Amino acid sequence: MISPMGKNAAALIESIDELPPLPSVAARVMNMADDDRTSALDLAQVLSTDQALTAKLIRISNSAYYGFARRVSTVREAVLVLGFKQVRQMAVGASVMNAFKGSKLSDGFDLDLFWGHSIAVAVAAETLAKKTRVAKPEDAFTAGILHDIGRLVLRQVMPVEFANAVGMARAGQMSLHAAEALTTGYSHDALGKALGERWKFPGHLVDAISGHHSTLLTPENSGLSGVIATANRLVLHYNLYCGYEVEAAVKPLPPDLQATEEACGGIDHVLERAFSFIEGATGTPERWYAAAS
């Protein structure tokens, strides 16, 4: 797997000893997805082995993201009230967020904004998948959270070069996607694909991570990959970038994105749901984009 500058992303991933493994509970939950013998009780039992994750799932279940009148007090209740698929996607998202908490690096890259962008894409993708029926909504949500995960790898293994890229992006010189390829020789989508393969993600999730910057992919012609690429374009159009802010006017929506935004209920609705998920997953309100306030 070759990055734009000719460097092998898979080789870099394999050479890194300090990369976090996919949390064991998340790995088990993902493997349960296609097993018809798995029951809601089985899922609840697996999730309950991780106390920190259990607390997060209960917070999310009781958050405005779902808006249920009744209070959920156990993971088993969450599975029964929300359903197997919803709880599975919550578990994977919260687990991966926890795996890459990261250190407080002074590189201008904001993890709150990183997860804000990722979860906004996840929310938009989930809704788009429901509307178009070209992909499973729970897969779209999971792929949305994971689509930029390669960027956290770059930040960890090439901190100086990555900080230079962030500086260029924040100055408005070019997108972070272009800047990171220039300063590091790698692109985060290629690294995300390699990490997904290392973590043994299903192939359709790996493909969606790999192709999320393609402007040629649409839900109609590419299924899940097209859903993620389109949701990413919508969120980026509103200057909700991944890990940094740039003051820029919002341009009129292209016709194809107008239909996408309408299908998602409007960008404000997407951001409201994304904020609710983040607050539930973290337990505290996090910093949000200036453009969204």
Side-chain angles (χ1 to χ4, degrees), residues 47 50-75 77-79 81-98 115 119 122-123 126 141-142 145 272-286:
L47 294 173
D50 187 324
Q51 292 183 348
L53 179 59
T54 294
K56 287 185 179 183
L57 293 177
I58 292 173
R59 281 200 305 266
I60 296 170
S61 299
N62 290 317
S63 73
Y65 184 79
Y66 288 108
F68 285 110
R70 64 174 283 188
R71 296 290 296 175
V72 171
S73 58
T74 68
V75 172
E77 279 186 273
V79 175
V81 172
L82 301 177
F84 183 102
K85 294 177 180 178
Q86 291 281 3
V87 173
R88 179 173 68 89
Q89 75 179 30
M90 277 198 297
V92 172
S95 294
V96 173
M97 288 175 71
N98 190 61
W115 291 120
I119 294 171
V123 169
E126 179 186 33
F141 188 90
T142 300
I145 286 184
E272 182 181 357
R273 295 197 71 218
F275 184 91
S276 296
F277 187 95
I278 292 173
E279 186 170 358
T282 61
T284 55
E286 297 292 343

Side-chain angles (χ1 to χ4, degrees), residues 152 181 200 265:
L152 298 185
K200 302 188 186 324

Side-chain angles (χ1 to χ4, degrees), residues 193-221:
K193 177 180 180 180
L195 181 61
E197 291 171 340
R198 173 167 168 168
W199 278 354
K200 302 188 186 324
F201 287 162
H204 58 289
L205 290 184
V206 172
D207 290 342
I209 292 170
S210 176
H212 71 268
H213 275 290
S214 174
T215 57
L216 302 177
L217 301 182
T218 67
E220 294 73 22
N221 70 21

